[in-house]
Amino acid sequence: MKKYLGHIVDVVSREIYDGEVVVEGDYIKQVKRCNLPDNGKTWPYLMPGFIDSHVHIESSMMTPYEFAHLASSHGTIGVIADPHEIGNVLGIEGVDYMIRSGRDATFNFCFAAPSCVPCYSPDIETSGAVIDAAGVEELMARDDIGVLGEMMNFTGVLGNDPEVMLKIRAAHKYGKPIDGHAPGLTGNNRERYAMTGISTDHECTSIEEGRACISAGMKVIIRNGSAAKDFENLYPLIGESPNMVMFCTDDCHPDDLVRGHINLMVRRALADGYDIWKILMAASINPQRHYHLKWGMLQEDDAANFVVVDALNPYFRVLQTVIKGVEVFDCNTSFGSVRQHYIHMEENHESFFPNRFEAKPIKEEDISFDVQKYDTLHVIRAVDGSLYTGHDAIKVKTNFFDGSRYTWGEVQKMVVLNRYQPDVRPMVGLVRGFGLTNGAIASSVAHDCHNIVAIGANDEYLVKAINRVIEMRGGQVAVAGHDMTDLALPIAGLMSPLSGHEVAYRCILLTEMARRAGCPMHAPFITMSFLCLPVIPELKLTDKHLWDSKNMKVYY
């Protein structure tokens, strides 16, 4: 039995009072009012823990076990995790891997059944696996799956695609919520999308879009991830519709996760003047109610999941995180208790490093790009901090390339290589916004099919970076001049078995190397990873085509 004294933030009665929380085993045995000893000590605040309402753990490049280690240090007690990324590589086998890894941590996971594996037609891109309607039905029937993951195929929903509708019906059959993904969907189309029972969207980027989503009956999950940061545009919804808002990171890079998680959004909301009750609705209470979770609201007989902070202002610090009755984080001690087990992965490499990687090394001639005078070139316009891309159509009046180097340094060559089949010719396109002048970056993290993607200042750098990814059977690489740094991702080409802090450190080194090569972006690798995603506008490059998702058109 353990007792916690402090100012109790009671979300049910909406009051803050002095008291004591008594924890026995995994549950809160008692919450009682009492006077706090007047011994000169500044007493902390006890409140429900934070929840990430939509995250792809694979984007942290950590196992669920290591992700929990870092997230809990920021007051996060659980996540709604969509294993969509590893699902595209390994199918249900990948989903099972994530669930098994999560069981090794003292943490709360609500895993989703990926709804769009692959996210688009196999005519557009190549994935490593397929989870069809029968597979979704199998997953929805399981007790360890709590939600149908984001329905990215909104055109299939609006068109009553039979396979899509079978997946939606499977979720209804087992009484489980359905997450949405419908960027830019407005008016009657938004209403029709919501009428199918899809009940959330994390892709709203403007306040008008957010209000339309809520008007249609859908909850808005305000996203503040590594690449997409929508809090600035959507935070008024916290005050307008506190019961219809949740928080998420979606895709959180490891070097950002070590700095903070949902606690950063809570701090920002406090700084904007919202009261703690509306903030905690979004950060903790709404997710539990929406996803039918019993992770605790700091009441008697609740699960013992809560956070202890030093203040209720924008500068608060997490002092302790308690999950399932265990102090998984204490700011005054090493926080290792989240690690109940350590798996010696080297004992069985294939068992603990599931992967699908068949790509073979390439040569410079494999990525040649024939540009004839007066051609119209279609260039992807990338923007740091956004998943959306622009489309520049350029008439070429002079020779665009000089051998393997480019006469217009603002534009670089982009390469996408199918990693599931050997000896397939890479797809080559053009991108602007990365500013690479003396190197290249490459990665096997490329949403959603996770083929190899690379951007470089010349073909020599590109081939060097791509072949290193192939040699590692998955990973990230940055080349600057004669120097190279990398991070191996042997688990599905998406995750590392290293500790969370080690992964974060190596990601920092990768970003620094990319900057040495000329790239000014805050998150170049995660921005690059979305240049392949054909369900987000506007121009994308897959392993098969240059695809215009706005006009549903293939350029080549």
Side-chain angles (χ1 to χ4, degrees):
M1 186 179 298
K2 192 167 179 62
K3 299 179 180 180
Y4 295 85
L5 286 169
H7 310 296
I8 296 171
V9 181
D10 191 327
V11 294
V12 175
S13 64
R14 290 206 167 195
E15 60 177 328
I16 300 173
Y17 57 84
D18 296 346
E20 180 182 71
V21 174
V22 180
V23 174
E24 185 172 17
D26 296 352
Y27 291 89
I28 294 174
K29 182 179 181 180
Q30 189 176 25
V31 180
K32 61 181 180 181
R33 298 172 187 265
C34 67
N35 295 324
L36 299 174
D38 186 10
N39 55 10
K41 177 180 177 180
T42 301
W43 292 97
Y45 292 80
L46 284 65
M47 60 186 185
F50 309 136
I51 296 171
D52 190 329
S53 295
H54 176 77
V55 66
H56 303 287
I57 293 172
E58 304 96 307
S59 293
S60 72
M61 292 182 285
M62 305 170 196
T63 63
Y65 176 76
E66 287 296 334
F67 177 93
H69 182 207
L70 282 185
S72 62
S73 71
H74 304 305
T76 301
I77 56 98
V79 297
I80 316 303
D82 186 348
H84 173 90
E85 313 302 342
I86 198 170
N88 269 280
V89 177
L90 295 168
I92 292 178
E93 175 192 351
V95 176
D96 288 337
Y97 172 84
M98 299 297 282
I99 293 172
R100 286 198 309 272
S101 176
R103 288 176 183 150
D104 291 321
T106 307
F107 198 72
N108 296 290
F109 292 98
C110 174
F111 281 102
S115 68
C116 298
V117 175
C119 73
Y120 225 72
S121 164
D123 295 333
I124 301 299
E125 60 180 341
T126 304
S127 68
V130 174
I131 302 179
D132 59 13
V136 167
E137 170 99 20
E138 175 188 331
L139 287 170
M140 296 311 298
R142 290 168 45 169
D143 292 337
D144 54 7
I145 296 292
V147 56
L148 181 61
E150 56 180 308
M151 181 49 73
M152 304 168 69
N153 189 359
F154 58 87
T155 57
V157 175
L158 298 178
N160 288 312
D161 179 274
E163 183 81 0
V164 169
M165 302 315 293
L166 281 172
K167 294 174 181 179
I168 290 174
R169 281 197 284 273
H172 290 314
K173 176 180 177 180
Y174 293 98
K176 296 178 180 179
I178 307 170
D179 278 342
H181 169 118
L185 206 61
T186 58
N188 182 56
N189 284 339
R190 170 66 71 176
E191 298 283 345
R192 289 172 56 209
Y193 185 75
M195 284 176 64
T196 64
I198 299 172
S199 53
T200 71
D201 201 343
H202 59 278
E203 292 291 341
C204 298
T205 58
S206 69
I207 189 64
E208 294 78 16
E209 192 178 358
R211 287 168 179 157
C213 189
I214 290 172
S215 178
M218 300 174 67
K219 292 183 175 67
V220 173
I221 307 180
I222 300 176
R223 173 174 55 189
N224 210 51
S226 292
K229 299 180 182 295
D230 304 315
F231 189 93
E232 184 68 31
N233 294 329
L234 298 176
Y235 72 86
L237 298 176
I238 300 170
E240 294 175 13
S241 306
N243 293 327
M244 298 295 287
V245 174
M246 297 182 278
F247 292 155
C248 84
T249 57
D250 194 6
D251 294 285
C252 191
H253 216 237
D255 47 333
D256 287 326
L257 184 58
V258 294
R259 298 184 180 98
H261 194 220
I262 300 300
N263 61 317
L264 299 182
M265 301 180 74
V266 173
R267 285 179 178 174
R268 175 65 190 276
L270 286 168
D272 288 329
Y274 294 105
D275 68 54
I276 191 64
W277 312 118
K278 291 181 178 179
I279 296 168
L280 285 180
M281 290 296 291
S284 182
I285 307 309
N286 291 343
Q288 295 192 59
R289 290 174 175 167
H290 182 79
Y291 294 105
H292 315 309
L293 305 171
K294 296 182 179 179
W295 290 352
M297 301 182 189
L298 204 60
Q299 305 294 305
E300 287 187 6
D301 299 322
D302 276 359
N305 300 311
F306 58 92
V307 61
V308 182
V309 301
D310 64 341
L312 291 182
N313 60 45
Y315 309 101
F316 74 83
R317 290 186 306 124
V318 175
L319 304 178
Q320 290 177 309
T321 304
V322 178
I323 301 177
K324 301 178 183 178
V326 178
E327 290 178 8
V328 297
F329 171 74
D330 188 315
C331 68
N332 294 316
T333 63
S334 63
F335 46 99
S337 57
V338 72
R339 302 168 178 229
Q340 291 182 325
H341 309 285
Y342 185 81
I343 300 172
H344 297 284
M345 296 181 182
E346 66 273 12
E347 292 178 0
N348 190 335
H349 179 89
E350 289 302 321
S351 175
F352 291 109
F353 292 176
N355 204 349
R356 189 163 292 151
F357 214 99
E358 301 298 332
K360 302 299 182 185
I362 65 169
K363 302 182 290 294
E364 288 185 33
E365 51 263 38
D366 295 329
I367 57 172
S368 62
F369 192 88
D370 185 21
V371 177
Q372 302 296 324
K373 191 176 181 180
Y374 304 115
D375 272 355
T376 297
L377 297 180
H378 300 277
V379 180
I380 299 170
R381 187 173 66 251
V383 180
D384 194 14
S386 176
L387 308 188
Y388 289 76
T389 58
H391 178 184
D392 295 336
I394 301 169
K395 275 282 188 182
V396 180
K397 297 182 180 179
T398 60
N399 187 22
F400 198 74
F401 295 116
D402 177 20
S404 64
R405 294 188 178 274
Y406 311 128
T407 56
W408 183 23
E410 187 181 355
V411 170
Q412 287 85 48
K413 189 179 285 187
M414 175 179 166
V415 177
V416 180
L417 174 62
N418 180 336
R419 65 133 145 164
Y420 303 107
Q421 300 168 8
D423 304 319
V424 177
R425 185 173 176 83
M427 183 59 61
V428 182
L430 299 171
V431 64
R432 62 185 295 193
F434 281 80
L436 291 160
T437 58
N438 186 39
I441 58 176
S443 176
S444 57
V445 178
H447 301 284
D448 277 337
C449 287
H450 300 293
N451 290 296
I452 301 169
V453 60
I455 298 169
N458 68 36
D459 292 354
E460 179 184 355
Y461 291 138
L462 277 165
V463 169
K464 183 177 181 180
I466 290 168
N467 284 345
R468 178 57 182 149
V469 172
I470 292 170
E471 181 183 2
M472 295 187 294
R473 298 188 79 242
Q476 295 192 328
V477 176
V479 176
H482 297 294
D483 297 327
M484 179 171 68
T485 190
D486 57 44
L487 168 63
L489 301 173
I491 303 171
L494 300 175
M495 292 174 287
S496 167
L498 298 173
S499 73
H501 283 91
E502 176 68 12
V503 174
Y505 173 68
R506 292 185 181 224
C507 285
I508 291 170
L509 295 181
L510 283 162
T511 300
E512 288 176 350
M513 187 69 76
R515 287 180 181 147
R516 282 178 53 190
C519 182
M521 288 186 172
H522 164 71
F525 282 89
I526 201 164
T527 301
M528 179 175 68
S529 73
F530 282 100
L531 299 184
C532 306
L533 183 57
V535 294
I536 293 184
E538 177 174 348
L539 194 63
K540 305 289 181 174
L541 185 70
T542 74
D543 69 298
K544 291 185 175 181
H545 296 291
L546 181 65
W547 170 250
D548 182 341
S549 66
K550 183 177 180 180
N551 298 300
M552 306 293 283
K553 179 179 179 181
V554 168
Y555 287 103
Y556 57 78

